[in-house]
Amino acid sequence: NMSYVSNEALKLDSQLCFPLYAASRKIIGAYTPLLKPLGITYTQYIVFMVLWEQDGITVGDLGSRLRLDSGTLTPVLKKMEAMGYLIRERSQKDERIVNIHLTDKGRDKKEEARNIPLKMGACISFESKEAEEFKRMLYKILNQD
């Protein structure tokens, strides 16, 4: 019966997207009290994580890594620059390219953030095998064009 199938398909509990969306919001919500003492948002935190790993990255590459468009990323970077955490510099070779460099203040933030992954791990009760498998499945979704 076709109408039964379409009714089932339209139920919230039948969706993969909904628990993914709700879990994402819950996890980001769990970060909020951990990031508040550092005075940064979740988006700023993920920007920091990339820069601590790859200082001097281009805005374009940062956007690709974070899966954020420039309309979302640019205001975040401007704010972080105003806060004294980073500097945006046009490339000498190609002025369309903007590189991002951490300041000393931005590098020092890493020490303040050191315990956050551990504290977050306590919020999500996955065994390490489960966590790896879940991450693999999420990237499978993210990497589909």
Side-chain angles (χ1 to χ4, degrees), residues 45-63:
Y45 176 61
I46 62 176
V47 167
F48 268 127
M49 284 197 290
V50 173
L51 292 174
W52 291 328
E53 203 181 304
Q54 269 185 289
D55 197 358
I57 193 172
T58 67
V59 172
D61 287 347
L62 179 65

Side-chain angles (χ1 to χ4, degrees), residues 50-104:
V50 173
L51 292 174
W52 291 328
E53 203 181 304
Q54 269 185 289
D55 197 358
I57 193 172
T58 67
V59 172
D61 287 347
L62 179 65
S64 297
R65 284 276 322 261
L66 297 178
R67 296 161 197 272
L68 293 174
D69 59 76
S70 60
T72 305
L73 189 55
T74 302
V76 174
L77 295 173
K78 280 184 175 171
K79 174 98 192 220
M80 290 177 78
E81 189 170 33
M83 292 164 90
Y85 293 129
L86 56 86
I87 299 162
R88 293 174 306 144
E89 266 180 347
R90 293 216 169 267
S91 165
Q92 306 289 307
K93 297 184 194 106
D94 182 346
E95 62 176 34
R96 292 167 301 179
I97 297 173
V98 177
N99 296 90
I100 311 159
H101 298 279
L102 286 168
T103 60
D104 288 341

